[in-house]
Amino acid sequence: MDTIASLFSFITTPVSWVIVQFHSVYGKIFGPDTGWAWGLSIVSLVILIRICLIPLFVKQIKATRAMQTLQPEMKKIQERYKNDKQRQSEEMMKLYKESGTNPLSSCLPILAQSPFFFALYHVLNGIATGKTIGVIDDQLLASARKAHIVGAPLAAKFTDGADKVAALGASLTDVRVVTAIMIVLMSASQFYTQRQLMTKNVDTTVKTPFMQQQKMLMYVFPVMFAVFGINFPVGVLVYWLTTNVWTMGQQMYVIRNNPTPGSKAQAAYLERLHKHVTHHGKTRNRREKTIVKAIVAKGRDRNEFERKFINGLAKAGLAAQADGTVATSEAVAVATVEDGTPTTTAAAPRRQQPKRQSKSQRQSGAAKSPGDSEESSSSAPSLSKSDAPQDAQETGGTGKATPKSGTGGSRSKAQSGQRKGPQRPKSPSKK
């Protein structure tokens, strides 16, 4: 234990100093020996650490979005090597290397705050064993050993015996009840955080190692907290419970306002955005404009929820613009550029196809007289029924076709299936 404490000595002194500074502030309000003063000092330490980790959390979000953009390529690799798991893993690793992404980036905040966790653990363990550590001197050590949080001493553990708990001025029942409740709340908050990430903020259309990792963490971390939590002092349980509650709230904010494309959270967000835009007739702030601009830029690559959002705006008489704004369909239809060329972003109306006529209607139309054709403004005049006997009379009984000037003869020939133009005379038939 001393070896491990020496490894974290570089962070133990700063952590103990921060706790002492917060204790000096809260001690003036609640009293220096109260559990409120020491408990709030630990909570304030958590908040300070998590604020410092916000840039790392933003980097985690960006890395997660980068993983989302690779999902189409991942799906192709899965389909191509679905019978060869080893080759599939090799191609996945190659894709991560080429794109510069890391599927383990979601663990960065946990890894970053681990040194602070171990440093706080050794500070509180020193208080439990009566040893000064960091900047905590004998006076502060005695004050911390008197502090109780809901009847449980700050340095007590679930596994402590009755004699040790009595030496800290508490009962074993109070210590075990308080620590058990805190362990359950700590494990439940961790499980809920991972569950909402898996069920609401993950595109389930593509299975990736990232999803498998999150699913594993959803069950592994709560079990780890439940198993190891019985060996944590009450002060460490306060630290870790506060961290889990902060993470849960931070995750809920991200899921609600910046969801993963293709997830259920995005469907709920776009539904809310559609109601706001249709009610106000415009995008209200920069974030909404950024979301609409990104959806418009995707074009045909939009997912199901994004297409539904665009179609919903069109039904409401609105059209999303490339700059993230929203305009009415009438305004978009008549918009012109500076050179006078009309430009539209709305869908163009379909061209009306001519109505198809039946065979009887086409035959009746072909049987109309030339005079009737001219009255109906037809481009090709139809034949008259009197043309056929007229052609028969002009053959003169010899069987030879006599071409007739004008259009009547040619039309009758075209109607009878003969070729247009001058025809070769037929030889007279022998009687």
Side-chain angles (χ1 to χ4, degrees):
M1 183 64 68
D2 294 336
T3 304
I4 298 177
S6 62
L7 292 176
F8 292 95
S9 60
F10 72 96
I11 194 68
T12 301
T13 301
V15 167
S16 61
W17 183 84
V18 172
I19 293 178
V20 169
Q21 299 305 313
F22 281 120
H23 175 263
S24 62
V25 175
Y26 294 121
K28 296 177 181 179
I29 302 174
F30 302 102
D33 299 336
T34 61
W36 283 102
W38 286 99
L40 290 176
S41 299
I42 297 174
V43 172
S44 300
L45 173 67
V46 175
I47 296 175
L48 179 62
I49 293 174
R50 296 310 299 265
I51 290 176
C52 295
L53 292 178
I54 285 179
L56 187 61
F57 180 76
V58 173
K59 185 177 181 180
Q60 174 193 359
I61 295 296
K62 292 181 179 180
T64 305
R65 294 293 183 267
M67 290 290 297
Q68 293 295 327
T69 59
L70 294 179
Q71 285 190 358
E73 298 296 330
M74 295 178 184
K75 188 173 182 180
K76 292 179 182 179
I77 293 175
Q78 290 175 354
E79 293 176 352
R80 184 180 302 173
Y81 305 105
K82 59 183 178 181
N83 297 326
D84 190 351
K85 298 298 182 182
Q86 182 178 358
R87 182 65 183 278
Q88 184 181 120
S89 300
E90 292 176 356
E91 293 295 327
M92 287 288 188
M93 293 298 105
K94 183 179 178 181
L95 180 63
Y96 296 150
K97 186 177 181 180
E98 292 176 352
S99 60
T101 56
N102 185 4
L104 299 178
S105 58
S106 61
C107 298
L108 290 177
I110 297 177
L111 296 176
Q113 65 178 334
S114 296
F116 299 97
F117 168 77
F118 285 110
L120 179 64
Y121 177 82
H122 291 299
V123 169
L124 296 175
N125 186 67
I127 294 174
T129 56
K131 297 180 180 179
T132 59
I133 186 171
V135 298
I136 297 179
D137 53 15
D138 294 334
Q139 182 179 358
L140 292 173
L141 178 62
S143 175
R145 290 176 65 86
K146 295 178 183 178
H148 290 66
I149 298 177
V150 198
L154 194 69
K157 305 176 185 177
F158 183 87
T159 56
D160 287 344
D163 296 337
K164 187 174 182 179
V165 172
L168 295 174
S171 65
L172 183 62
T173 303
D174 293 340
V175 170
R176 291 190 173 178
V177 169
V178 171
T179 53
I181 292 175
M182 296 181 71
I183 290 172
V184 170
L185 292 176
M186 184 175 61
S187 301
S189 59
Q190 179 67 34
F191 178 80
Y192 181 78
T193 301
Q194 295 295 328
R195 180 176 174 80
Q196 71 175 349
L197 183 65
M198 287 295 300
T199 57
K200 296 181 179 181
N201 203 39
V202 172
D203 187 359
T204 57
T205 58
V206 180
K207 294 182 179 180
T208 63
F210 173 76
M211 294 176 57
Q212 298 298 327
Q213 171 200 354
Q214 293 296 329
K215 187 176 181 180
M216 179 185 65
L217 295 178
M218 181 174 66
Y219 296 101
V220 171
F221 275 170
V223 174
M224 290 177 57
F225 284 130
V227 172
F228 295 106
I230 59 176
N231 295 314
F232 289 163
V234 173
V236 175
L237 293 179
V238 171
Y239 171 89
W240 208 248
L241 178 59
T242 306
T243 298
N244 287 353
V245 172
W246 176 285
T247 303
M248 182 175 62
Q250 187 173 252
Q251 191 68 51
M252 291 176 64
Y253 176 83
V254 172
I255 290 175
R256 179 176 176 82
N257 297 283
N258 192 17
T260 300
S263 62
K264 294 181 180 179
Q266 189 195 31
Y269 175 80
L270 292 180
E271 185 177 355
R272 295 193 304 269
L273 181 60
H274 175 264
K275 292 181 180 180
H276 295 162
V277 172
T278 53
H279 178 72
H280 297 280
K282 61 179 181 179
T283 49
R284 298 174 299 171
N285 50 49
R286 182 180 298 179
R287 181 169 54 85
E288 292 184 353
K289 290 182 180 179
T290 303
I291 295 295
V292 174
K293 182 179 179 180
I295 294 176
V296 173
K298 287 185 177 181
R300 295 183 179 180
D301 295 333
R302 302 185 188 112
N303 57 44
E304 176 185 358
F305 308 125
E306 293 167 347
R307 289 193 296 268
K308 184 178 179 181
F309 172 74
I310 296 296
N311 294 335
L313 292 180
K315 291 180 181 179
L318 300 172
Q321 305 299 301
D323 59 351
T325 59
V326 175
T328 59
S329 299
E330 293 80 2
V332 173
V334 300
T336 56
V337 294
E338 293 181 358
D339 58 354
T341 305
T343 177
T344 59
T345 57
R350 294 183 178 180
R351 187 177 60 182
Q352 297 294 334
Q353 299 292 336
K355 187 177 181 181
R356 187 173 182 179
Q357 296 180 348
S358 62
K359 185 176 179 180
S360 60
Q361 290 175 342
R362 291 195 301 270
Q363 290 178 351
S364 63
K368 289 182 180 180
S369 62
D372 296 335
S373 312
E374 293 174 357
E375 292 178 359
S376 61
S377 302
S378 176
S379 60
S382 60
L383 300 177
S384 175
K385 293 182 180 180
S386 60
D387 292 338
Q390 185 177 2
D391 291 339
Q393 293 177 1
E394 291 177 356
T395 55
T398 60
K400 296 181 180 181
T402 305
K404 182 179 178 182
S405 61
T407 58
S410 60
R411 289 176 186 150
S412 61
K413 292 174 184 178
Q415 184 180 7
S416 61
Q418 297 180 3
R419 293 183 298 175
K420 296 181 180 181
Q423 304 292 327
R424 293 178 59 185
K426 296 181 179 180
S427 61
S429 60
K430 296 182 181 180
K431 294 183 180 181

